[in-house]
Amino acid sequence: DAGVIQSPRHEVTEMGQEVTLRCKPISGHDYLFWYRQTMMRGLELLIYFNNNVPIDDSGMPEDRFSAKMPNASFSTLKIQPSEPRDSAVYFCASSFSGMNTGELFFGEGSRLTVL
Amino acid sequence: RKEVEQDPGPFNVPEGATVAFNCTYSNSASQSFFWYRQDCRKEPKLLMSVYSSGNEDGRFTAQLNRASQYISLLIRDSKLSDSATYLCVVSLTNTGNQFYFGTGTSLTVIP
């Protein structure tokens, strides 16, 4: 079975450019999460969706960040304009509320470098 | 105050050693507890859930102390392949949302 699929795997861009990260969750999962990981701060929850509806976006750093989930199989995280401090690995994860374990399944991540 | 606190390490241990990681959480309403493993430049993956009565999976033993809001992971007979970062994770529900991650504890097993 396909896991969580993220693209691009690597992105190098210049400050001020728009960045769009994409995620396809596991089919049938009703929760989708966007995390950011840095050495200094570890894994930080940016936003999560339940049944395509944003539930908590309190982790989104500022207005430069936005996320959408137009349907159950696709989500985007957009940064506009990007800044060097946005450099990090961005993980998408999904889960199914019907599972007793409550396990999160992560994609392989999108490694963003903003120059 | 962070939801989940872990000693970042690093822990450098010889093969065959026993090593223990600890984690504390701040919200007494937390419902579910996990240890995830993250290899270098890879995504986190579930290692094991942590149950109130404690649980074991081969060389790995996880324990939960709700009164002290404390979770532990014990690895016996360490293997080189155990080298990774171990993340303590706490969830406020049993239904798949509000996961809080510790910053991770780095383990290197030395030949």
Side-chain angles (χ1 to χ4, degrees), chain A residues 5-19:
Chain A
I5 299 172
Q6 291 186 245
S7 65
R9 293 290 311 280
H10 301 274
E11 174 100 5
V12 180
T13 191
E14 292 188 343
M15 183 173 63
Q17 296 298 305
E18 178 178 296
V19 174

Side-chain angles (χ1 to χ4, degrees), chain A residues 1-83:
Chain A
D1 288 342
V4 176
I5 299 172
Q6 291 186 245
S7 65
R9 293 290 311 280
H10 301 274
E11 174 100 5
V12 180
T13 191
E14 292 188 343
M15 183 173 63
Q17 296 298 305
E18 178 178 296
V19 174
T20 299
L21 307 179
R22 297 173 178 81
C23 175
K24 177 179 168 54
I26 293 172
S27 177
H29 281 193
D30 52 351
Y31 281 90
L32 183 140
F33 305 79
W34 282 101
Y35 285 89
R36 175 172 71 177
Q37 187 174 40
T38 60
M39 287 293 292
M40 292 297 295
R41 301 171 70 92
L43 265 169
E44 301 174 280
L45 177 63
L46 300 177
I47 185 171
Y48 77 91
F49 297 82
N50 178 218
N51 293 321
N52 316 336
V53 176
I55 302 300
D56 184 355
D57 65 354
S58 59
M60 296 285 263
E62 49 199 89
D63 292 345
R64 297 184 299 106
F65 285 68
S66 62
K68 294 182 180 179
M69 191 165 186
N71 57 61
S73 59
F74 184 65
S75 177
T76 59
L77 178 67
K78 186 175 293 187
I79 308 172
Q80 166 64 19
S82 58
E83 297 183 2

Side-chain angles (χ1 to χ4, degrees), chain A residues 10 31 33 35 37 41-43 45 48 91 95-97 99-108 111, chain B residues 2 32 34 36 38 41-46 49 51 87 89 94-103:
Chain A
H10 301 274
Y31 281 90
F33 305 79
Y35 285 89
Q37 187 174 40
R41 301 171 70 92
L43 265 169
L45 177 63
Y48 77 91
F91 285 105
S95 69
F96 175 50
S97 58
M99 286 180 67
N100 289 333
T101 64
E103 180 181 355
L104 269 181
F105 295 83
F106 283 83
E108 293 182 305
R111 185 172 296 274
Chain B
K2 290 185 178 179
S32 302
F34 310 88
Y36 276 66
Q38 186 173 22
R41 302 180 78 84
K42 298 286 190 180
E43 73 275 21
K45 292 184 180 179
L46 179 66
S49 300
Y51 302 120
L87 301 163
V89 184
N94 290 320
T95 56
N97 63 340
Q98 293 181 297
F99 289 82
Y100 296 96
F101 283 75
T103 52

Side-chain angles (χ1 to χ4, degrees), chain B residues 8-37:
Chain B
F11 284 68
N12 299 315
V13 302
E15 268 187 293
T18 295
V19 61
F21 305 138
N22 303 316
C23 165
T24 58
Y25 60 95
S26 61
N27 193 329
S28 59
S30 299
Q31 296 287 325
S32 302
F33 309 90
F34 310 88
W35 284 100
Y36 276 66
R37 170 187 169 134

Side-chain angles (χ1 to χ4, degrees), chain B:
Chain B
R1 183 182 178 186
K2 290 185 178 179
E3 292 282 346
V4 181
E5 301 262 14
Q6 283 184 260
D7 179 350
F11 284 68
N12 299 315
V13 302
E15 268 187 293
T18 295
V19 61
F21 305 138
N22 303 316
C23 165
T24 58
Y25 60 95
S26 61
N27 193 329
S28 59
S30 299
Q31 296 287 325
S32 302
F33 309 90
F34 310 88
W35 284 100
Y36 276 66
R37 170 187 169 134
Q38 186 173 22
D39 292 300
C40 187
R41 302 180 78 84
K42 298 286 190 180
E43 73 275 21
K45 292 184 180 179
L46 179 66
L47 176 67
M48 59 196 301
S49 300
V50 186
Y51 302 120
S52 297
S53 55
N55 48 297
E56 189 173 302
D57 183 1
R59 298 180 293 106
F60 298 83
T61 300
Q63 292 192 314
L64 168 65
N65 184 322
R66 284 188 182 269
S68 302
Q69 295 180 198
Y70 170 94
I71 305 162
S72 66
L73 177 68
L74 183 77
I75 305 175
R76 292 182 300 278
D77 188 22
S78 300
K79 311 291 185 190
L80 296 177
S81 58
D82 294 334
S83 298
T85 296
Y86 291 83
L87 301 163
C88 178
V89 184
V90 169
S91 174
L92 293 180
T93 75
N94 290 320
T95 56
N97 63 340
Q98 293 181 297
F99 289 82
Y100 296 96
F101 283 75
T103 52
T105 299
S106 173
L107 171 67
T108 301
V109 181
I110 304 164

